Amino acid sequence: METVNQLVATGQFRILKVPLGFIKILEWIFAIFAFATCGSYSGMFKMSVECKNRSDSNLNIEVEFQYPFRLHQVYFDAPTCTGGQERQFLVGDYSSSAEFFVTIGVFSFLYSMAALAFYVFAFEKYRENNKAPLIDFGVTCFFTFMWLVSSAAWAKGLSDVKTATDPERVVTLIPACGKVENQCREVHDPVMSGLNTSAVFGYLNLILWGGNLWFVFKETGIVAPFMRAPPAQEKQPAPESFGQPGGYVQEDPYASSQGGYQPDYSQQGGGYNQGGEFGQGGYVQQGAPTSFSNQM
């Protein structure tokens, strides 16, 4: 008990409040209802056969049947109205669809319980990489498909079971009921509410497992790159800028660091410098092999 309190205090059970954990709890509970209501079913119906000779009549014929609904093995004794009894068997074997449905329910229950334990006690390891979420997503897809198939198969099997155990239909199997002088009727119909509940829970499990696919898929991280916000666009530099107040600055496209045309408008003693200098009334050319200088 102390361990549970410590887990609650550390917040490890918070996963049960989010859809991933909460739906898994519902899957666990609904799986129990699905296979329990089907696998534990036992039904009974009654008929009466009133012969012309009342001493041969049987007004309370009870027929019991149960899971897995191998009805061809269910029998009852009916009067022949000639002083004897004759054994009759029901028709049909619907064990395959019923057992398939119950098997899927049991395995769904076991996997849901194991997944819940893993969510609670090792959710950090679950999210370390996408291996565990991918396995969880694959198993969820499998059980979603299996619930679809098993629920559809059991719904058809349940319809056939209802038909095969209908007392009005069963009395037609008794030879004595084919004679006009004898009267056969149903006394009590079988109660099928438990089997109807199992079929409903089968489709509810299909909805739960199908709906949980999205929440498990998000944990795989596959969808994460498509949910990121687009990167912010960089601002383009302005082609021209204003520098000092009242002044206008524009870059010289002809200016370069090497070998470019760089006019120098500075004046030294009334001279002009461009690739050379006007000194004090003279012209000086830089980099020339010979220099000329005129003195005033």
Side-chain angles (χ1 to χ4, degrees):
M1 189 67 180
E2 295 179 358
T3 304
V4 174
N5 292 333
Q6 292 175 358
L7 291 174
V8 174
T10 56
Q12 288 182 322
F13 282 95
R14 285 183 298 178
I15 183 62
L16 304 181
K17 297 180 180 180
V18 301
L20 182 66
F22 182 72
I23 294 179
K24 191 62 67 177
I25 295 177
L26 294 180
E27 291 174 353
W28 179 59
I29 296 174
F30 282 26
I32 296 176
F33 280 101
F35 73 79
T37 52
C38 181
S40 62
Y41 179 82
S42 178
M44 180 267 296
F45 61 91
K46 294 181 181 181
M47 303 176 297
S48 68
V49 177
E50 184 177 357
C51 301
K52 183 177 181 181
N53 185 4
R54 293 184 178 275
S55 60
D56 296 334
S57 301
N58 188 346
L59 304 180
N60 191 23
I61 302 175
E62 294 186 358
V63 182
E64 296 182 354
F65 63 99
Q66 59 187 3
Y67 174 85
F69 308 107
R70 294 186 176 94
L71 300 182
H72 66 288
Q73 298 177 358
V74 178
Y75 61 87
F76 59 94
D77 294 327
T80 60
C81 294
T82 57
Q85 298 282 332
E86 185 177 7
R87 179 160 292 181
Q88 302 291 333
F89 288 84
L90 299 181
V91 179
D93 182 6
Y94 310 102
S95 60
S96 58
S97 59
E99 290 176 339
F100 179 49
F101 180 80
V102 170
T103 301
I104 296 301
V106 171
F107 279 102
S108 297
F109 161 76
L110 295 176
Y111 178 76
S112 298
M113 184 171 59
L116 277 173
F118 196 77
Y119 290 167
V120 173
F121 298 105
F123 194 66
E124 295 299 328
K125 293 184 178 180
Y126 179 85
R127 305 192 71 178
E128 282 182 357
N129 50 54
N130 64 345
K131 183 177 181 181
L134 283 174
I135 295 175
D136 192 15
F137 179 71
V139 175
T140 304
C141 290
F142 171 78
F143 276 111
T144 301
F145 178 74
M146 287 295 102
W147 275 117
L148 172 63
V149 176
S150 63
S151 298
W154 173 231
K156 177 62 170 63
L158 175 58
S159 177
D160 295 338
V161 169
K162 289 180 178 180
T163 302
T165 57
D166 184 3
E168 292 184 355
R169 182 182 179 88
V170 175
V171 294
T172 61
L173 303 176
I174 303 174
C177 294
K179 298 179 181 179
V180 180
E181 62 270 18
N182 302 323
Q183 295 182 358
C184 302
R185 61 185 180 87
E186 63 174 290
V187 177
H188 185 270
D189 289 327
V191 178
M192 294 290 186
S193 58
L195 296 182
N196 293 333
T197 302
S198 67
V200 171
F201 274 104
Y203 285 105
L204 288 177
N205 275 284
L206 170 62
I207 296 173
L208 282 176
W209 286 85
N212 199 29
L213 282 174
W214 168 245
F215 299 103
V216 179
F217 178 71
K218 288 198 301 183
E219 295 297 328
T220 62
I222 299 176
V223 72
F226 302 98
M227 299 181 67
R228 293 177 182 173
Q233 296 182 355
E234 297 181 358
K235 295 183 178 180
Q236 298 293 332
E240 54 188 24
S241 60
F242 292 91
Q244 300 178 354
Y248 178 76
V249 180
Q250 182 175 5
E251 296 181 356
D252 189 356
Y254 299 100
S256 60
S257 59
Q258 296 179 357
Y261 174 74
Q262 301 177 353
D264 186 2
Y265 297 99
S266 63
Q267 296 181 1
Q268 296 181 0
Y272 172 76
N273 297 333
Q274 181 179 358
E277 296 181 354
F278 282 96
Q280 299 175 356
Y283 174 79
V284 179
Q285 183 177 6
Q286 294 181 352
T290 308
S291 62
F292 297 93
S293 178
N294 297 322
Q295 299 292 334
M296 293 297 297

